[in-house]
């Protein structure tokens, strides 16, 4: 007998199995829906980070990190900007102020 096995009367096995499967499906569905969208980069806000604080390495990197955009590419003035490369150029490598660099970039 398994650890989580429940004793039921004969004939109730199928009902319990169905209810258990519905319960598990509901739990998985709630987990999927609650995690959906996590860690999405808001590229418009990332652009704002760059435009508002264009020359301040630590401030830009912190803002980009808080938006989960360290690995993202954004459209800036009609061209794609890889934020990882942008921050490497802005801050230099290695740089203590570049929170996106720590443990994430080569």
């Amino acid at each position: 007998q398994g650890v989580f096995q429940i004793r039921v009367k004969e004939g109730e096995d199928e009902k319990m199995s169905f209810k258990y499967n519905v319960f598990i499906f509901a739990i998985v569905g709630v987990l999927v829906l609650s995690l959906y969208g996590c860690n999405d980069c808001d590229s418009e806000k990332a652009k704002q980070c760059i435009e508002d604080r264009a020359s301040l390495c630590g401030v830009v990197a912190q803002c980009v990190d808080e938006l989960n955009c360290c690995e993202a590419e954004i459209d800036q003035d009609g061209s794609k900007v890889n934020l990882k490369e942008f921050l490497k150029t802005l801050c230099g490598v290695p740089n203590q102020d570049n929170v996106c660099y720590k443990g994430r970039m080569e």
Side-chain angles (χ1 to χ4, degrees):
Q1 290 199 7
V3 176
F4 297 107
Q5 192 171 15
I6 300 172
R7 294 181 185 259
V8 293
K9 296 178 185 175
E10 241 178 87
E12 290 185 11
D13 242 359
E14 286 183 32
K15 289 180 187 176
M16 289 297 288
S17 178
F18 177 75
K19 288 178 183 178
Y20 179 76
N21 287 338
V22 169
F23 176 74
I24 295 298
F25 182 76
I27 295 296
V28 169
V30 167
L31 287 174
V32 167
L33 290 175
S34 67
L35 294 176
Y36 181 76
C38 290
N39 296 325
D40 282 348
C41 170
D42 185 337
S43 59
E44 290 302 314
K45 287 184 179 178
K47 281 191 227 181
Q48 226 29 67
C49 288
I50 294 169
E51 291 168 2
D52 292 348
R53 305 160 184 93
S55 62
L56 302 170
C57 167
V59 178
V60 173
Q62 183 68 39
C63 182
V64 168
D65 182 57
E66 288 172 359
L67 295 170
N68 298 310
C69 292
C70 288
E71 302 291 328
E73 281 191 358
I74 62 170
D75 184 37
Q76 185 74 8
D77 299 326
S79 61
K80 290 281 184 191
V81 175
N82 180 305
L83 291 176
K84 177 166 64 171
E85 295 303 317
F86 172 79
L87 290 169
K88 279 184 182 180
T89 302
L90 177 65
C91 300
V93 177
N95 187 305
Q96 294 290 47
D97 294 333
N98 186 353
V99 294
C100 286
Y101 179 79
K102 297 174 186 174
R104 296 192 191 155
M105 297 179 186
E106 294 108 34

